[in-house]
Amino acid sequence: MENILIRDTLILPMTEQAGGRCFRGHIGIADGEIAFVSEDDGVADEFVATHTANCRTIDGRGRLAMPGLVNTHSHIPMTLLRGYADDLPLMTWLADHVWPFEARMTRDDIRVGAQLGMAEMLLGGTTTALDMYWMDEAVGEAADCAGIRAVVASSILDGKRADFDADFAMLAERYGGGRHRRIIPMVAPHAVYTCSPETLEYARDVAAAHGVGITVHVSETLDEQQFVRERYGCTPVEMLSRLGLLSERTLAVHCVYVSDDDIEIMRKAGVSVSHNPQSNMKLASGIAPFARMAAAGLNVAIGTDGPASNNDLDMWEEMRAASFLQKVATLDPCAFPAHDVLRMATVGGAHALGLGDRIGQLRAGMAADVILLDIEKPHLYPCADMVANLVYCGKASDVDTVIVDGRVVVEGRRLLTLDISDLCREAQQRFQTIRNLM
């Protein structure tokens, strides 16, 4: 593993000490971790002298270094369904189009779809992503090849326990217990409306036995709320609480229809929440009350959801949408200011995935997940506030260099780990093959 010095760059570390302040300095990377972040030229010179036999220097002039973005909810292999069934209600979209298509997907389809999505994310500066799907070992293989940091969550639904058992067993054997530097497993009961109490309890027990977290769709639509109330006489949040699925290791996704009582239940349990604004807009699910959740003390993060319901995996678009949507929903232009939104996409996302001590900030001892943005772009000038420019003006195309776990995976906007042309062609062929079977 090579040592890297990023010299003379603008740095936005996202640490509590720095707040939203940028400063010009240097970043040293050794053994996959950040060795130092310093304004002192002497520290940089000493690092080069110490690692002279194996040190790569990156010229950071005209660039801004910041932590890689953290996508806390996605169904990455659904890139193969991008644009396939647009402009439909959620349940029609799922039952009549998505699920029949997915039933025909092979392990190799899932691997290719995952690689395509991971390529898109890395090129856009997302260095960590949670994937919620099945045939998870194939998703893990894709992440290993692409060079992204991944939380791979095995999905479980009623009637699919045997599939889940097989998938999670392979995932835990290969990646559980810290066996891999970048890939960790998680358990993902789909939702209260697709999982019986017995299935939810089983998912809870598997997660506890393996010491991994839980992620679950929660209160995404009014139909879900009505179904759960009619069947169980409570809200989805209350149901999950009764069954013991809510804790500091739980990531609740969507939370569009949650009451003050639901929010308080999640806060007391230490639950984190993933906000997926563009998917919620596209499927007309509603607007999650994230300003209210954050004000109540919940850790909130951002996710893109899958490429079939968004239709991309662009965290820059997601940040802008998250802020603007809360402003119009609350009729408060001060709701979710830029720094809070960027924190959701970095520090908040890291905490939500149980990785707050490893990623989300640039400081010594953290994993070296660093992105360099080309900030000499017309849409980023003039610059009165760099963080505001990033959140409200930033684009995936501004990302020039991406480092994950100390390895350069994107350089000069070119992905070094996968052949994009071959990948796009194979994805198109696989989509067409499946579509012909429909």
Side-chain angles (χ1 to χ4, degrees), residues 247-320:
S247 75
E248 68 281 353
R249 302 197 72 174
T250 303
L251 176 58
V253 182
H254 296 303
C255 296
V256 176
Y257 297 97
V258 287
S259 65
D260 288 343
D261 287 343
D262 288 335
I263 292 172
E264 180 60 13
I265 288 170
M266 291 192 289
R267 186 197 67 79
K268 286 183 176 179
V271 172
S272 292
V273 182
S274 175
H275 183 26
N276 297 208
Q278 292 195 105
S279 174
N280 294 160
M281 285 191 284
K282 187 190 176 198
L283 294 174
S285 298
I287 303 173
F290 266 74
R292 191 150 46 92
M293 293 186 208
L298 280 171
N299 177 58
V300 291
I302 295 179
T304 59
D305 211 346
S309 63
N310 186 313
N311 290 20
D312 60 31
L313 297 163
D314 188 336
M315 284 286 289
W316 301 97
E317 288 186 4
E318 215 69 37
M319 282 192 284
R320 178 184 168 100

Side-chain angles (χ1 to χ4, degrees), residues 5-18:
L5 174 65
I6 304 172
R7 185 183 282 278
D8 194 23
T9 190
L10 196 61
I11 302 171
L12 179 61
M14 295 305 295
T15 58
E16 288 187 17
Q17 182 180 11

Side-chain angles (χ1 to χ4, degrees), residues 102-393:
E102 289 180 324
R104 292 166 171 80
M105 290 174 69
T106 67
R107 180 192 182 281
D108 284 339
D109 293 330
I110 287 173
R111 175 185 52 79
V112 170
Q115 287 180 330
L116 186 67
M118 290 167 184
E120 178 185 352
M121 285 191 284
L122 286 169
L123 286 167
T126 294
T127 54
T128 300
L130 182 147
D131 180 69
M132 184 180 184
Y133 219 59
W134 74 95
M135 295 191 191
D136 315 285
E137 188 268 335
V139 177
E141 179 183 320
D144 196 16
C145 183
I148 200 168
R149 191 178 303 278
V151 177
V152 184
S154 290
S155 292
I156 180 170
L157 298 87
D158 285 344
K160 297 288 186 178
R161 184 179 296 185
D163 293 339
F164 165 80
D165 286 343
D167 286 347
F168 188 76
M170 287 190 289
L171 191 68
E173 180 179 358
R174 178 165 292 189
Y175 304 113
R179 293 184 180 89
H180 197 283
R181 289 178 60 99
R182 289 182 288 103
I183 303 170
I184 61 175
M186 208 174 198
V187 172
H190 178 264
V192 174
Y193 68 93
T194 52
C195 295
S196 67
E198 293 75 22
T199 298
L200 291 169
E201 289 174 328
Y202 181 73
R204 175 202 66 198
D205 293 344
V206 170
H210 288 270
V212 301
I214 290 174
T215 187
V216 55
H217 297 107
V218 179
S219 297
E220 183 177 1
T221 65
L222 284 172
D223 287 343
E224 176 186 343
Q225 280 281 82
Q226 182 178 353
F227 174 87
V228 175
R229 281 196 176 278
E230 289 177 354
R231 176 162 293 194
Y232 302 114
C234 61
T235 69
V237 170
E238 289 169 339
M239 185 69 174
L240 292 168
S241 179
R242 290 177 190 178
L243 297 174
L245 273 80
L246 300 185
S247 75
E248 68 281 353
R249 302 197 72 174
T250 303
L251 176 58
V253 182
H254 296 303
C255 296
V256 176
Y257 297 97
V258 287
S259 65
D260 288 343
D261 287 343
D262 288 335
I263 292 172
E264 180 60 13
I265 288 170
M266 291 192 289
R267 186 197 67 79
K268 286 183 176 179
V271 172
S272 292
V273 182
S274 175
H275 183 26
N276 297 208
Q278 292 195 105
S279 174
N280 294 160
M281 285 191 284
K282 187 190 176 198
L283 294 174
S285 298
I287 303 173
F290 266 74
R292 191 150 46 92
M293 293 186 208
L298 280 171
N299 177 58
V300 291
I302 295 179
T304 59
D305 211 346
S309 63
N310 186 313
N311 290 20
D312 60 31
L313 297 163
D314 188 336
M315 284 286 289
W316 301 97
E317 288 186 4
E318 215 69 37
M319 282 192 284
R320 178 184 168 100
S323 178
F324 287 6
L325 195 57
Q326 288 303 300
K327 294 178 192 302
V328 73
T330 61
L331 298 180
D332 179 5
C334 301
F336 267 75
H339 186 271
D340 289 354
V341 175
L342 190 58
R343 188 184 185 283
M344 288 170 62
T346 53
V347 179
H351 178 75
L353 299 183
L355 296 172
D357 62 341
R358 295 294 296 152
I359 62 171
Q361 302 174 61
L362 301 185
R363 57 181 173 86
M366 301 289 276
D369 291 6
V370 186
I371 62 176
L372 289 175
L373 308 177
D374 179 356
I375 55 173
E376 294 184 341
K377 298 285 188 72
H379 61 273
L380 294 174
Y381 276 85
C383 184
D385 183 324
M386 179 58 74
V387 171
N389 271 13
L390 292 175
V391 172
Y392 299 143
C393 314

Side-chain angles (χ1 to χ4, degrees), residues 39-109:
E39 298 175 81
D40 188 340
D41 293 348
V43 172
D45 293 340
E46 183 180 351
F47 182 80
V48 173
T50 303
H51 300 88
T52 184
N54 182 30
C55 186
R56 173 181 184 178
T57 298
I58 296 175
D59 185 353
R61 288 174 297 180
R63 305 289 186 262
L64 177 139
M66 61 174 284
L69 302 177
V70 181
N71 184 347
T72 55
H73 182 68
S74 60
H75 309 285
I76 307 174
M78 291 182 79
T79 51
L80 291 191
L81 287 88
R82 195 194 314 264
Y84 168 63
D86 286 338
D87 307 320
L88 295 170
L90 175 62
M91 292 315 299
T92 302
W93 175 74
L94 282 173
D96 296 346
H97 300 275
V98 171
W99 288 338
F101 187 102
E102 289 180 324
R104 292 166 171 80
M105 290 174 69
T106 67
R107 180 192 182 281
D108 284 339
D109 293 330

